[in-house]
Structures are given as C-alpha cells and as structure tokens.
C-alpha cells in the first residue's frame, strides 16, 4: 500500500470513511471526492497530511479529471444510496449510479489506473432462487437501484475488454456498524434497532421476524475493499460472511448487548421484502484471502459502544 495514491469517491460516507481510515493506517495517500450529500466531513480525520478532500460531484467530468490526477488506484463508492429513492426518482438515481460510474471508468482509463474497485450490491440478485448466493447466480434486480448496479458491472466488464481497465465490483450484503445514520434513507435494520433499543423504545418488525440476513461489519468491509484494491483479481465478488441470523434472534442479541427489555411491535411485512439472503463468501476468501474478523456479537457490541 505504501506509495499508493488512492482516490476514494464517497469517502466521507459510511463505508467510505472506514475504508479511508484503513488505507491511511496502511500508509497510502488518500484523496476523497464527495459531494457531502449523505457523507459528512466529520467522518474523516481531516488533520492527516496524507488525506485530501475535494468537494464535488462524480457526474462532473472536470471535477473527476482533477480528482483522478496522479492517482494509482480508485475506490468508487459515491452513489445515490437509497433503494426507495431509486423507485421514486429513477432519473436522478440513474444519473448518479450509472453516469457516475461511467464518468469514473472513463477517467480511470485515461489515467491508466492499476485498479478500479467499485460498489455493487447484493441487490443485483433480487429474490434468490437458492442460497447461499454465489456470484454465478442469476441476476434479477427488483429496483432501479439494483438494476443500476447490474448495469455498472456490465460497463466495468466492457471497459476491461475494450480498454484493459482492471476492475473489481464489490457486491455488499447487509453492512452495519458505526456512522450508519439511523435516520438516513439507507439505514439498515441494525442501526434502527440499536437507536430505538438504546432509547428503550419499541422497534418495528415487518412481518413475523423470521427473515434472515447476512450481516457484515463495516470494518471487515473496509478491509475487503483495501484487499480488492491491491489484488490482481478482476470481475465481481460478494462481500458477505456466509452466515445468517433472523430478525427475532437479532433482537434478542441486541436486548442483551444494550440491556433493554423493549418489546418489538409487529406490523405487516414489506411487500418488496426478501425472505432470506445469504452470500457465498468463498470467492472473497480465495481471491482476497479474506476472513471476517468481526463476529456479529462483537460488531454489535462495538456499534452499541460507539452509539
Ligand atoms: C438490503 C440493502 C439494500 C439492498 C438489499 C438487497 C441495507 C440498509 N439495505 O436491504 O440496499 O438493495 O439489501 O439485498 O443494507 N426491517 C424491520 N424493521 C425495520 C427495518 C427493517 O423489520 O425497522 C426488516 C426488513 O423488512 C428486512 C430486514 O429487516 O426483512 C432487513 O432490512 P434492511 O436493513 O432495510 O435491509 P434489506 O431490505 O435487506
């Protein structure tokens, strides 16, 4: 990592800021490009001399050209991050989530980057036919957001064959941890439940609570991103643990961690909800030598302590 000059778009956001910390700890020079629409300056250690912040938008070609200058590697995380907003305003969402990556890929090609790593999502799979989901599973996204990520993967593959741009798309499963704002449009169930239980308020469970998810701690995701930047592997890769928990078990664990006895309210299930999700983590392990360091219990403890 030392000698690497890494551009992190969306570096002031939830996954981005943790990855920036990991890169700085490894001795990289980091430049963040962020429009601060959902990211925050306060997420970044801005006093560090190895860190620079450019405030600007990924769809602005001139800004991206400047941000890419002298860079050796790029991690592209900046996005319109809300699935719901992608349904309500698919034009804005496509502009950020398709034109954004295409702008970055073109700049990556011109800069001759060593590696381009970008955020994809488990949303590309839609409702799984069988579990765990391997990268070879059928793609059937259920939202504009998921479709945008699928299109991004296709663009990245095309830039590889047309121009030799080496890229790896990270299909994140359910990421949780500090700095995921419970009030934000992309807040996951864990940040919402931790927020409510720590105030001793009742969380809402959609449906019977038997839904299962593959939760990945954000510091593990940050390590996977760093490994991806410096690996020779190209294509797409799940970022998952391969283990799942259902929402009722999650609530039990959280009540223990937070010493709360708040009971959940059950309401009707979300019509767009997926019942079970679990990622096959074998490619993550074989390609990136990656094993999660954080058990769910440890991650929830750390999140509770930071909240
Ligand atoms: C997640 C991603 C989404 C992606 C999708 C694709 C997050 C925040 N979202 O959605 O970007 O498109 O995977 O696989 O990671 N729930 C409750 N009560 C609440 C909130 C949620 O019961 O207050 C339930 C939901 O109904 C769902 C589960 O918790 O069954 C997880 O919900 P959520 O954290 O929103 O993530 P996903 O729906 O899995």
């Amino acid at each position: 990592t030392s000698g690497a000059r890494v551009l992190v778009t969306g570096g002031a956001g939830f996954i981005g800021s943790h990855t920036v910390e990991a890169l700085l700890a490894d001795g990289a020079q980091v430049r963040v490009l962020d429009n601060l629409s959902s990211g925050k300056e306060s997420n970044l250690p801005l006093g560090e001399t190895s860190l620079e912040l450019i405030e600007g938008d990924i769809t602005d070609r001139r800004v991206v050209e400047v941000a890419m200058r002298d860079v050796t590697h790029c991690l592209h995380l900046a996005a319109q991050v809300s699935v719901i907003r992608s349904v309500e305003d698919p034009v804005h969402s496509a502009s950020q989530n398709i034109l954004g990556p295409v702008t970055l890929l073109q700049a990556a090609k011109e800069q001759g980057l060593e590696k381009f790593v970008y955020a994809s999502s488990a949303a590309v799979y839609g409702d799984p036919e069988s579990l765990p989901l391997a990268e070879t599973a059928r793609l059937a996204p259920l939202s504009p957001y998921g479709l945008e990520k699928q299109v991004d993967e296709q663009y990245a593959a095309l830039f590889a064959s047309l121009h030799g741009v080496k890229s790896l798309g990270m299909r994140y499963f359910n990421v949780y941890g500090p700095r995921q704002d419970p009030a934000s449009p992309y807040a996951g169930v864990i940040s919402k439940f931790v927020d409510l239980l720590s105030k001793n308020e009742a969380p809402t469970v959609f449906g019977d609570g038997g839904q299962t998810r593959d939760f990945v701690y954000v510091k593990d995701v940050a390590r996977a991103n760093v490994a991806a930047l410096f690996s020779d592997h190209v294509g797409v890769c799940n970022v998952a643990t391969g283990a799942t928990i259902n929402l009722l078990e999650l609530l039990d664990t959280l009540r223990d961690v937070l010493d709360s006895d708040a009971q959940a309210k059950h309401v009707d299930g979300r019509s767009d909800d997926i019942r079970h999700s679990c990622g096959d983590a074998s490619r993550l392990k074989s390609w990136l030598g990656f094993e999660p360091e954080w058990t769910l219990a440890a991650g929830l403890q750390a999140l509770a302590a930071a909240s």
Side-chain angles (χ1 to χ4, degrees):
T1 353
S2 70
R5 291 182 300 278
V6 187
L7 172 64
V8 183
T9 74
F14 166 49
I15 296 176
S17 62
H18 287 279
T19 311
V20 167
E21 279 176 8
L23 284 165
L24 290 171
D26 282 355
Q29 292 277 332
V30 180
R31 182 180 290 149
V32 167
L33 173 63
D34 202 302
N35 67 6
L36 303 178
S37 64
S38 57
K40 296 183 200 149
E41 278 182 82
S42 60
N43 285 341
L44 290 169
L46 283 172
E48 298 242 1
T49 49
S50 305
L51 175 63
E52 179 193 351
L53 169 66
I54 297 179
E55 194 178 330
D57 201 273
I58 47 166
T59 57
D60 184 332
R61 295 169 71 150
R62 286 233 301 272
V63 168
V64 170
E65 258 168 50
V66 170
M68 198 62 91
R69 232 167 250 164
D70 300 324
V71 161
T72 56
H73 300 73
C74 174
L75 175 64
H76 174 53
L77 301 176
Q80 189 295 104
V81 291
S82 164
V83 175
I84 295 164
R85 185 154 181 218
S86 80
V87 176
E88 287 165 356
D89 190 351
V91 176
H92 172 259
S93 196
S95 142
Q96 291 288 306
N97 292 357
I98 298 179
L99 290 181
V102 174
T103 306
L104 266 298
L105 277 165
Q106 176 66 5
K109 172 208 152 194
E110 279 163 7
Q111 177 64 21
L113 285 190
E114 288 175 37
K115 192 73 178 279
F116 181 79
V117 176
Y118 63 97
S120 184
S121 168
V124 296
Y125 295 116
D127 213 347
E129 286 174 327
S130 65
L131 295 171
L133 281 156
E135 288 83 353
T136 49
R138 178 189 63 121
L139 304 188
L142 300 171
S143 62
Y145 176 86
L147 180 60
E148 288 151 13
K149 297 292 180 179
Q150 182 183 357
V151 171
D152 296 343
E153 292 183 354
Q154 293 174 328
Y155 266 106
L158 191 66
F159 270 69
S161 56
L162 278 181
H163 307 301
V165 175
K166 294 194 190 80
S167 69
L168 189 58
M170 309 296 272
R171 290 180 178 168
Y172 303 120
F173 278 67
N174 289 65
V175 184
Y176 74 100
R179 302 182 200 147
Q180 192 181 47
D181 178 358
S184 95
Y186 69 105
V189 66
I190 290 183
S191 69
K192 286 189 184 157
F193 281 5
V194 166
D195 180 53
L196 292 167
L197 288 175
S198 57
K199 297 190 278 197
N200 235 355
E201 288 173 24
T204 301
V205 171
F206 300 126
D208 65 3
Q211 305 98 301
T212 56
R213 290 293 184 274
D214 185 333
F215 292 107
V216 199
Y217 192 60
V218 68
K219 286 189 191 289
D220 276 333
V221 173
R223 284 174 50 239
N225 289 338
V226 175
L229 281 166
F230 299 99
S231 135
D232 288 333
H233 287 284
V234 295
V236 294
C237 184
N238 287 341
V239 181
T241 67
T244 61
I245 185 170
N246 76 36
L247 291 186
L248 298 183
E249 294 160 341
L250 172 68
L251 269 172
D252 277 341
T253 312
L254 280 173
R255 279 197 206 93
D256 277 349
V257 168
L258 293 160
D259 199 17
S260 159
D261 55 10
Q263 291 305 305
K265 288 179 293 199
H266 283 261
V267 300
D268 284 350
R270 279 185 348 202
S271 60
D272 59 345
D273 217 359
I274 287 168
R275 183 79 181 160
H276 298 295
S277 172
C278 178
D280 183 332
S282 46
R283 184 176 286 184
L284 182 67
K285 187 175 172 189
S286 63
W287 279 14
L288 303 183
F290 180 89
E291 298 261 21
E293 279 177 358
W294 291 79
T295 62
L296 185 63
L300 293 176
Q301 292 275 4
L303 173 58
S307 301

